[in-house]
Amino acid sequence: MSCPFLHNQLINATLIKPSVRPDPTVGQQICFYDQIFTWTDKHVPPSKLNQWRKHGDSLIDQFFQEYGEQLQANDDTYEYLEHFLVTNPLNTSCLIKFSEYIRQRPIWFNREQILHGQKFFLKNLPSMLTTIVYHTLVIGYGFQQLNNILIKTNYLLSNDLKESHRRLVETLQMIATAICGDIDQFDETFSDVIRVRLLHGMFSFSSLFCIEQHFHISLSHDEKEAYLHFWRYIGWLIGIDEQYLIYLSSYELAETISQPIFYHFYLPSQTLKHMIHHTLMSSYFHGELPLSFRFHLGISQILQGEQVSQALQIDQPKSDHLHFYTIQFLFQIFRLI
């Protein structure tokens, strides 16, 4: 199967308007792509989700209001912040408040759960990294509002596929640094996470769902809770408000927030389909392993499910037994590792 978009074809960088869906009623069965669930009073309705989108990051907004003009185009904002704190130790500006805040730990911080979450990720490393690239990232392109920042900055969407692949690898490196790092060495382990917040300030549940449903790896309740706790802390570091982070305090709550988000915001457009193929094509041309483009599509297709794959135009004929069984064999190896 060939890509429906030329690998050097420019992406139509038109900002996407938010989707609008009515609030379901309690007891209503939702059948949306491959998801089927019953709406309850614990689900967050679309009208409320739209209100949440208006909340910003007051600490970062204040930082750019006070110091934005001093930054140069290619400055590392995190290094600027650290240098400022060293050279101005008595300053009481928002930078001091921000630095002190991120080095605190929220009252719900549980060291043992964080370590357990890191151990869980490393235990399932091949499956988790595959899930991040071929499931979480790909399905994330279908959320229109999340992609406006990518369209504005051209991040991951450079016409140079090598540049797009480099940025994809940098994202994976940031995750790996946080997962493998020493939680007591803040600057070494979480500095890239803070950079993300400085740059554009429900990733975790999607990965767990994919691992169980598509890799058929059985996860214990403690593993799920520990992994969510780890990403709850990452969310806190990048400035997500506590009223939203509470939904990562348990697997059940994470499920009740992920379902309405998917129902309300997921609406792939032609632009977003192009973005998906662009990312997969960058891995095909510049990845370390000599895999065919059909193989990249096949991994993502299996992890997304039939209906979502069709919506994203990454579906391929089921008669392609060679790629299908090779990928299934690869997943079986992941389960045994």
Side-chain angles (χ1 to χ4, degrees), residues 60-245:
I60 298 302
D61 291 343
Q62 187 180 356
F63 163 69
F64 280 104
Q65 286 174 5
E66 294 186 21
Y67 299 97
E69 293 182 358
Q70 300 179 29
L71 294 170
Q72 303 299 315
N74 296 319
D75 280 352
D76 184 316
T77 314
Y78 185 79
E79 289 184 3
Y80 174 90
L81 183 151
E82 292 299 295
H83 177 73
F84 182 92
L85 296 176
V86 171
T87 55
N88 300 274
L90 301 179
N91 191 286
T92 58
S93 70
C94 65
L95 290 185
I96 299 294
K97 297 176 185 177
F98 179 71
S99 181
E100 292 175 348
Y101 177 79
I102 62 176
R103 284 167 173 77
Q104 295 174 5
R105 285 177 172 172
I107 58 174
W108 44 261
F109 182 91
N110 185 314
R111 178 184 173 81
E112 292 305 313
Q113 274 202 304
I114 294 289
L115 295 174
H116 193 182
Q118 290 179 314
K119 183 178 179 180
F120 162 77
F121 189 97
L122 293 174
K123 171 186 171 183
N124 298 282
L125 185 62
S127 303
M128 293 302 296
L129 292 179
T130 303
T131 296
I132 289 170
V133 175
Y134 293 99
H135 175 75
T136 307
L137 178 63
V138 169
I139 202 169
Y141 280 135
F143 293 91
Q144 300 177 349
Q145 296 85 346
L146 298 181
N147 288 293
N148 279 339
I149 184 66
L150 295 176
I151 293 173
K152 286 181 178 179
T153 62
N154 210 32
Y155 194 80
L156 287 178
L157 305 178
S158 170
N159 194 41
D160 182 352
L161 287 173
K162 187 174 182 179
E163 179 69 10
S164 293
H165 185 258
R166 181 186 67 80
R167 290 172 172 173
L168 177 61
V169 171
E170 285 179 349
T171 301
L172 293 176
Q173 288 174 337
M174 180 208 73
I175 296 170
T177 300
I179 290 292
C180 302
D182 184 344
I183 61 174
D184 294 320
Q185 299 296 322
F186 184 90
D187 288 318
E188 293 180 8
T189 304
F190 298 112
S191 59
D192 284 340
V193 174
I194 302 304
R195 283 185 172 91
V196 170
R197 182 177 181 180
L198 289 164
L199 282 172
H200 58 68
M202 238 15 116
F203 176 87
S204 50
F205 177 81
S206 174
S207 297
L208 291 176
F209 179 83
C210 182
I211 288 288
E212 285 197 304
Q213 296 296 316
H214 300 296
F215 283 95
H216 305 293
I217 295 176
S218 179
L219 306 179
S220 70
H221 185 266
D222 287 345
E223 286 178 323
K224 294 177 185 178
E225 298 282 296
Y227 186 67
L228 289 173
H229 188 81
F230 179 84
W231 282 104
R232 185 182 182 187
Y233 180 53
I234 296 296
W236 183 83
L237 288 175
I238 63 174
I240 299 176
D241 195 275
E242 289 282 5
Q243 65 174 313
Y244 314 130
L245 289 176

Side-chain angles (χ1 to χ4, degrees), residues 271-327:
T271 297
L272 303 184
K273 295 170 190 176
H274 192 171
M275 292 162 66
I276 291 167
H277 283 269
H278 185 86
T279 300
L280 294 177
M281 188 65 76
S282 73
S283 296
Y284 164 58
F285 275 111
H286 301 288
E288 297 296 326
L289 298 177
L291 303 174
S292 67
F293 182 62
R294 181 173 291 198
F295 195 88
H296 288 280
L297 285 176
I299 294 176
S300 191
Q301 178 186 1
I302 292 172
L303 297 184
Q304 300 302 341
E306 182 178 354
Q307 294 185 33
V308 173
S309 296
Q310 291 175 355
L312 299 177
Q313 292 184 331
I314 58 173
D315 57 312
Q316 53 186 343
K318 292 184 179 180
S319 58
D320 182 17
H321 296 305
L322 175 62
H323 286 87
F324 178 80
Y325 289 115
T326 302
I327 293 168

Side-chain angles (χ1 to χ4, degrees), residues 6-39:
L6 298 176
H7 73 270
N8 60 351
Q9 180 181 345
L10 289 174
I11 293 175
N12 181 21
T14 303
L15 296 185
I16 302 158
K17 296 180 180 180
S19 59
V20 177
R21 289 196 174 94
D23 290 359
T25 58
V26 174
Q28 180 179 342
Q29 189 176 51
I30 305 297
C31 300
F32 193 66
Y33 291 107
D34 297 295
Q35 278 203 12
I36 300 175
F37 63 96
T38 301
W39 194 269

